[in-house]
Amino acid sequence: MDVERLAASPSAAALYTGTVRMFSASGFREVGRTYPSRPIMRREFRAGSR
């Protein structure tokens, strides 16, 4: 959820999957959006790394 693009405060149910800030801090990057406030986040893994 991209809470910065919402007009109102998000509900707890909307935040269930996490926020852009949380995923970005964990090394994910945005690769697209299904809706202006719904980003698709992806993290690349290399073979043999954890």
Side-chain angles (χ1 to χ4, degrees), residues 8-36:
S9 294
S11 67
L15 294 176
Y16 177 75
T17 58
T19 63
V20 170
R21 187 176 294 179
M22 179 191 77
F23 279 97
S24 294
S26 296
F28 288 76
R29 64 183 178 88
E30 184 178 326
V31 296
R33 288 190 178 247
T34 59
Y35 193 75

